[in-house]
Amino acid sequence: MQPRFHQSILKYCALSLLIVVPLLLQGCSPTTSIPGTDGSATQGNASIEQANALFTQGKKREAAQAYYAASARYPTPQRERIILQAAEIAASIGDAQLTNTYLARVPASVLDGENRARQAYVKALLALQQKNPALALRTLPSTLDNISPALRAKVKHIQQRAQASAGGKGGSVGQNVQRAMVPSSVNRIAALLPQSGALRSVGQEIYRGMETARNSIASDTTVQLYDVNAGGAVAQYQRAVAEGADVVVGPLDKESLAQLLAQPQLLSKPLLSLNYLTNSRNIPGALYQFGLLPEDEARQVATATTARGLRTAIVMAPASSWGDRIAAAFRSAYQAKGGQVLNIQQYPDTASNAYMQNVQNALAATQGRASMVFLAASPSQARLMRPLLAAQAPSLPVYATSHIFSGRTDPGNDADLDGIRYTEIPWVIEGLQNGSLNNSTFPRMFALGMDALLIAKNLPSIGGNPNAQVNGKTGDIRVAGNRQIQRTLLFATFVNGVPQALGQ
């Protein structure tokens, strides 16, 4: 049956390329009925050939139903590929309900790279059919590496249509990065931080970090604190500028940052925010965005592991928006460097008896072909996952980000993390080496404050130069072309429950 399947599906792919219809993925439950079926192709008798014939006759809805019904006859990943074909056809006729129903039948955990890209493509096609080119462009696969020429051609076609619908190449949906506002000198810095409310203690820790850095590297510079919760971000920014600030650091929360960016004409002095607005389309010349992005660390792990020859990976991430973000960042960077993500296994975001099964499923799906595991996890999750991975695949190296370590030493509990290689900021390593780490409540926020002052003070030299770099406490820092601050961290591992720096 396999050769017959391949011959049929290739025949359909060639045909669908000519009329440029979409395809994708997500979820599969062959025994579940699909709304809108008319009984012409039941799961018991439908075949790829029947679906091909219906499509050729222009009966697209019936063809989609037949493809879905036929999918029950095939194992993974062919089954998911056929369901995605059904979803593609449903999207091409603009039937959102039917498309999303099919997509819901494809579990993310079984998607390979080609089918994952196909899923994104189908969603983008549906968005375009629904007159939402901006969503279509955001939904398309982030990279075209390692996907078939046919799918690549379809993605590019949808991209061109979406760009044209949005009003030109890139249109209004692309980022408009205005020319950088670079100060000639920095002698007065304003810290726009919360001194009340839920983030009060974090704001105070960041400010202490700024003051510590000022005392050591910028004694000629003043740092004035403004409570962002006293009158709002806009009023406090205007006050800081009126009182002579050369650079404003903050705010910390997204809501306050959004308030400032809603009135970009007010930004007369550089603003070094301590958070990111990922959906921002227009980046004012005054805005520099800085924070401890988990995506930066995931991308660094991808770069380091592929450089070491570890080019087949399992990704394990919690079923959460954070897990989705960090897994996607790793996958995109890993594939761009020539790696192949064999399986993305989601596990419950809270402690669960399913963890063992999640690990076994991930290992079984890759059939011994994986050369590493990328683990996205909190400390409590990592303490449960690492022993399971060690028991099931003791020779498989496990990589993670700094999120597996709380920032405070706890050898008794963290002994379960022994052997994991993970990204860590220099300040935590320094604190471990000199015994001062546990003196700080939020050591990484303290380091963020130190580097906020370092960046602000050095904006005259690094603000408009993506090639310039400063060595900070949260990593080696540079300003990217969109003025997001990017960091390169150290690598560490756990030995007897205590992190230790690794050679690069």
Side-chain angles (χ1 to χ4, degrees):
M1 184 173 289
Q2 290 292 84
R4 187 178 182 185
F5 164 78
H6 286 301
Q7 182 180 20
S8 299
I9 206 69
L10 287 173
K11 175 180 173 184
Y12 174 77
C13 287
L15 176 62
S16 63
L17 237 185
L18 294 176
I19 34 189
V20 198
V21 278
L23 24 66
L24 209 14
L25 88 170
Q26 199 163 292
C28 119
S29 177
T31 60
T32 304
S33 62
I34 296 295
T37 56
D38 59 5
S40 60
T42 66
Q43 289 172 346
N45 61 25
S47 68
I48 295 295
E49 289 79 3
Q50 289 173 327
N52 288 344
L54 288 168
F55 187 86
T56 303
Q57 296 165 19
K59 299 178 180 179
K60 293 185 178 181
R61 187 180 303 277
E62 292 84 350
Q65 294 163 359
Y67 278 117
Y68 175 77
S71 69
R73 300 183 174 189
Y74 297 93
T76 297
Q78 291 96 331
R79 177 172 57 242
E80 289 72 34
R81 171 63 183 85
I82 302 170
I83 295 174
L84 288 175
Q85 192 68 62
E88 177 182 355
I89 298 171
S92 73
I93 59 177
D95 190 329
Q97 180 181 0
L98 192 59
T99 303
N100 290 326
T101 301
Y102 289 144
L103 291 177
R105 299 298 190 269
V106 185
S109 60
V110 302
L111 296 179
D112 57 18
E114 178 83 0
N115 277 345
R116 190 170 297 278
R118 216 171 269 288
Q119 177 191 42
Y121 164 70
V122 170
K123 291 179 179 178
L125 175 69
L126 180 61
L128 190 60
Q129 293 294 84
Q130 295 181 315
K131 312 300 182 185
N132 192 340
L135 178 60
L137 287 170
R138 291 199 302 271
T139 306
L140 283 169
S142 57
T143 176
L144 299 184
D145 296 337
N146 301 319
I147 66 175
S148 66
L151 179 57
R152 187 179 300 118
K154 291 183 177 186
V155 169
K156 289 182 177 179
H157 180 81
I158 292 300
Q159 184 178 48
Q160 291 166 1
R161 285 179 56 194
Q163 288 173 341
S165 297
K169 191 172 183 178
S172 60
V173 298
Q175 276 193 338
N176 175 26
V177 184
Q178 299 176 9
R179 184 175 179 180
M181 183 185 294
V182 181
S184 57
S185 62
V186 177
N187 298 308
R188 293 175 63 87
I189 297 173
L192 200 61
L193 295 168
Q195 294 302 293
S196 58
L199 294 176
R200 175 176 177 269
S201 57
V202 175
Q204 291 178 336
E205 192 82 346
I206 292 171
Y207 182 67
R208 282 194 288 269
M210 293 181 69
E211 278 290 292
T212 298
R214 185 194 70 82
N215 291 335
S216 62
I217 65 171
S219 58
D220 61 338
T221 304
T222 63
V223 179
Q224 180 65 42
L225 179 62
Y226 296 83
D227 185 0
V228 73
N229 292 331
V234 174
Q236 292 291 52
Y237 174 88
Q238 290 178 310
R239 178 186 164 200
V241 171
E243 293 178 358
D246 298 310
V247 175
V248 177
V249 173
L252 178 61
D253 65 293
K254 287 182 180 289
E255 182 179 352
S256 294
L257 179 56
Q259 291 171 6
L260 283 166
L261 296 186
Q263 303 182 62
Q265 71 279 4
L266 298 180
L267 302 180
S268 58
K269 294 292 182 178
L271 177 71
L272 178 63
S273 68
L274 300 180
N275 211 322
Y276 298 83
L277 283 185
T278 54
N279 61 348
S280 177
R281 291 288 165 259
N282 294 301
I283 301 178
L287 179 63
Y288 297 80
Q289 299 179 76
F290 179 42
L292 305 182
L293 270 183
E295 289 92 336
D296 282 348
E297 299 185 39
R299 286 187 280 264
Q300 185 177 341
V301 172
T303 299
T305 51
T306 51
R308 289 174 174 266
L310 304 176
R311 295 179 178 272
T312 49
I314 293 170
V315 175
M316 302 203 68
S320 65
S321 58
W322 180 86
D324 291 343
R325 284 170 49 205
I326 197 168
F330 174 83
R331 182 184 71 242
S332 178
Y334 194 71
Q335 291 176 343
K337 295 293 184 180
Q340 181 184 5
V341 174
L342 300 176
N343 180 263
I344 294 182
Q345 183 74 210
Q346 288 189 319
Y347 59 85
D349 198 25
T350 55
S352 168
N353 293 332
Y355 281 9
M356 171 64 84
Q357 189 63 55
N358 294 139
V359 169
Q360 291 175 339
N361 289 346
L363 294 171
T366 57
Q367 299 178 334
R369 294 181 294 137
S371 58
M372 63 164 288
V373 174
F374 174 64
L375 176 63
S378 67
S380 59
Q381 291 166 340
R383 289 168 186 152
L384 294 172
M385 279 291 180
R386 170 57 179 165
L388 295 175
L389 286 164
Q392 298 291 316
S395 62
L396 205 59
V398 179
Y399 285 79
T401 64
S402 63
H403 305 86
I404 65 168
F405 179 49
S406 67
R408 299 182 68 82
T409 54
D410 186 2
N413 285 319
D414 287 342
D416 286 332
L417 304 180
D418 280 3
I420 293 183
R421 299 172 178 91
Y422 77 102
T423 46
E424 187 56 274
I425 66 171
W427 180 250
V428 166
I429 298 299
E430 290 177 27
L432 287 164
Q433 292 172 344
N434 61 32
S436 66
L437 182 63
N438 288 355
N439 296 341
S440 176
T441 306
F442 305 106
R444 294 192 177 97
M445 292 296 102
F446 188 90
L448 179 71
M450 296 180 75
D451 280 358
L453 184 128
L454 176 70
I455 295 166
K457 185 65 179 176
N458 285 278
L459 271 186
S461 60
I462 69 173
N465 184 2
N467 296 318
Q469 180 175 294
V470 292
N471 299 322
K473 300 301 184 181
T474 64
D476 292 338
I477 289 168
R478 71 179 187 90
V479 181
N482 59 1
R483 292 192 298 283
Q484 285 193 358
I485 308 302
Q486 295 184 345
R487 303 173 301 126
T488 302
L489 287 72
L490 303 174
F491 273 93
T493 190
F494 283 84
V495 178
N496 297 322
V498 179
Q500 292 187 9
L502 284 171
Q504 300 306 295

